[in-house]
Amino acid sequence: SADTMIGLVGAENAITEFEGYQPITAESVVTASPDVILMMTRGLDSLGGVEGLLEQPGIAQTPAGENGRVVVMDDLYLLGFSDRTGTAVLDLTYLTYDELEPPMLTLLRADGRFNTLLDAIDAAGQTRLLMGDGPFTLFAPTDEAFEALPPGMLDGLMSSTISLQAVLSYHLVGDAVMSEDVVALDGETIQTIYPLGRLAVAVDEESVILNESVTITETDMVAGNGVIHVVDAVLVPERP
């Protein structure tokens, strides 16, 4: 349960008078006075995101609401109780305590949209790299982006460590490049950690396009070892 996971990270559930999941009054929320609000991704989506959550009665009047301390984690990842539970506890710890800076992989795992990317990082042996100090910029394709690859391409990549490492390296820059820095590179290129790979940047009205076809859909997910920008397609380097 969520209460169990909260206890495992050394935190205290602010609301203990209810069992299970049920609505509570605004007065109860304010009285509980949580420092952090833990939300599952599906529940938060149903409210319209963090802004929608803060509009719920009583939430904005809590310390968590006043300070914007909302921790969001994928439902199945946090509550599924599988071989990933230990990692989920570690990630929740990173996200719960302000003094800790979560690495990129924590943000990816907690989000729930990057399972294929995480599997690819593991298969390519790049987990240790992305848990390291960095800083890095990661252009992160979602699961939907991987699903849009031509038939058989993903299976081919996952069966070839060298090819997979090349493709993933083409999504990584060896520095923290924030969105405003990317926009400033309009008409220029960014060198990735793939030695033969540069990304062409073009700004089209309010969109940033990489290599003429890949759109950055979400920016500046800041981690302790860099920054993540979400992209809507997989970047594939040209063959040398």
Side-chain angles (χ1 to χ4, degrees):
S1 68
D3 182 67
T4 299
M5 299 300 281
I6 290 169
L8 287 173
V9 304
E12 181 180 347
N13 191 347
I15 298 176
T16 57
E17 61 267 32
F18 300 102
E19 291 187 6
Y21 298 91
Q22 55 184 294
I24 61 174
T25 65
E27 290 79 7
S28 296
V29 171
V30 173
T31 300
S33 190
D35 295 308
V36 177
I37 295 174
L38 174 61
M39 290 290 298
M40 302 300 101
T41 49
R42 293 180 186 177
L44 190 65
D45 288 344
S46 70
L47 294 173
V50 173
E51 290 184 1
L53 171 66
L54 294 177
E55 292 174 355
Q56 300 304 303
I59 297 294
Q61 287 72 50
T62 66
E66 292 172 354
N67 297 311
R69 292 288 288 122
V70 179
V71 171
V72 186
M73 293 193 71
D74 179 67
D75 311 51
L76 291 177
Y77 178 52
L78 183 64
L79 304 178
F81 286 94
S82 64
D83 56 357
R84 302 188 301 170
T85 298
T87 307
V89 171
L90 175 62
D91 289 339
L92 181 58
T93 303
Y94 269 119
L95 296 170
T96 298
Y97 297 99
D98 261 344
E99 59 269 28
L100 301 180
E101 295 183 329
M104 285 183 173
L105 292 187
T106 289
L107 299 185
L108 294 175
R109 288 189 293 249
D111 189 285
R113 293 177 293 169
F114 303 101
N115 294 312
T116 305
L117 175 59
L118 288 163
D119 288 343
I121 290 169
D122 183 58
Q126 293 185 341
T127 298
R128 179 173 294 181
L129 172 68
L130 290 176
M131 288 296 287
D133 293 337
F136 300 108
T137 298
L138 172 63
F139 295 100
T142 61
D143 292 337
E144 290 183 355
F146 278 100
E147 290 171 3
L149 287 171
M153 184 174 179
L154 179 58
D155 289 339
L157 287 173
M158 295 296 279
S159 65
S160 171
T161 302
I162 294 176
S163 296
L164 192 58
Q165 287 175 341
V167 170
L168 292 177
S169 296
Y170 195 48
H171 291 77
L172 275 171
V173 176
D175 198 2
V177 185
M178 303 300 290
S179 59
E180 61 182 18
D181 301 318
V182 177
V183 170
L185 290 169
D186 183 22
E188 302 181 33
T189 61
I190 304 175
Q191 178 63 55
T192 67
I193 68 171
Y194 177 60
L196 303 177
R198 298 186 69 88
L199 299 174
V201 180
V203 179
D204 180 15
E205 295 182 353
E206 295 185 0
S207 298
V208 178
I209 312 297
L210 302 177
N211 290 357
E212 300 183 350
S213 61
V214 178
T215 301
I216 298 177
T217 59
E218 187 175 334
T219 62
D220 295 343
M221 295 171 61
V222 179
N225 58 346
V227 61
I228 299 169
H229 305 303
V230 183
V231 292
D232 67 353
V234 178
L235 295 157
V236 180
E238 295 183 1
R239 291 181 177 275

